[in-house]
Amino acid sequence: MKMPRRPINFVPAKEGEILKLGHITCRIMEDGSRTGTPPQLPSHYIQLTQNPDNRIGSAEFTLPPNTAGPPAHWHEMHDETFLVTQGVVRFHAPDGAYHDAHVGDYITVPIRAPHTFSNPTDQEAKFFNTFTPAFYIDYFKILAEVSRSDEKMSKEKNLEVMARFATMPANEMLKEMNGGQK
């Protein structure tokens, strides 16, 4: 088989599409558009899908000190991973459970796993986030658009846009995290 000449994608450290989600910054590094359909494979290979476009999306998030993340939720159609690259990010789960993830720690959130995150410290925190498939990147683009004039990320706007992407509010967790009040 002849070696393919498919280009790789390089995103320099200070580039990518920058979105403001209220007080949180999102730098989109891969929106899925460069993970397109490869040429037809030889017949002896198993073709796993007919349309592998948008197989993965990725972004870097910057959380200011003492920042709450999005409302607790779960995803019906995509998996996520998180790699902490600066500071400490707290990953919240049901029943009051949480993990304080430090630089180099990695979190996998499969479909239907309720979660959210926050920065509980006085230092800025960052994480690298992946989405498979990549369609969820559009959630951040829409949230940035509807939040254009917001100083803080809005829970209500967040939940409204999440609903467009098969993402459900984790109401029991929301109640737990608000001291028993919804």
Side-chain angles (χ1 to χ4, degrees):
M1 175 187 298
K2 185 177 177 182
M3 182 178 74
R5 295 285 191 253
R6 201 154 182 218
I8 61 172
N9 180 42
F10 171 70
V11 181
K14 301 293 181 191
E15 294 185 20
E17 184 178 357
I18 306 297
L19 305 175
K20 291 300 285 178
L21 310 174
H23 56 299
I24 294 174
T25 302
C26 170
R27 178 171 73 108
I28 297 173
M29 299 159 84
E30 173 56 61
D31 64 5
S33 64
R34 293 173 293 270
T35 60
T37 308
Q40 185 61 41
L41 296 173
S43 61
H44 63 278
Y45 285 93
I46 297 172
Q47 194 83 25
L48 296 177
T49 178
Q50 295 296 65
N51 184 13
D53 292 339
N54 295 306
R55 289 182 290 190
I56 190 167
S58 63
E60 174 189 63
F61 289 82
T62 303
L63 307 176
N66 302 301
T67 295
H73 59 278
W74 75 80
H75 308 287
E76 288 287 334
M77 296 180 62
H78 74 276
D79 299 296
E80 289 184 284
T81 68
F82 299 81
L83 175 67
V84 176
T85 58
Q86 180 181 319
V88 176
V89 179
R90 179 168 288 168
F91 290 90
H92 304 265
D95 305 317
Y98 65 87
H99 299 280
D100 282 343
H102 298 82
V103 173
D105 289 343
Y106 186 71
I107 303 285
T108 300
V109 178
I111 288 174
R112 305 203 92 213
H115 66 285
T116 189
F117 56 82
S118 64
N119 176 359
T121 74
D122 293 332
Q123 302 295 315
E124 182 177 87
K126 291 185 179 190
F127 61 83
F128 177 75
N129 197 193
T130 66
F131 316 90
T132 57
F135 72 90
Y136 203 63
I137 290 289
D138 287 338
Y139 154 77
F140 300 108
K141 292 179 180 184
I142 293 170
L143 185 60
E145 185 64 33
V146 301
S147 302
R148 189 175 300 246
S149 62
D150 297 349
E151 199 172 297
K152 292 274 189 187
M153 186 168 46
S154 161
K155 174 184 170 186
E156 293 73 27
K157 288 179 183 178
N158 214 307
L159 290 170
E160 188 276 319
V161 178
M162 281 180 178
R164 301 181 196 183
F165 291 90
T167 298
M168 313 304 291
N171 289 325
E172 290 175 50
M173 249 179 97
L174 290 169
K175 193 172 178 180
E176 285 170 18
M177 294 175 78
N178 289 324
Q181 301 192 359
K182 210 169 184 186

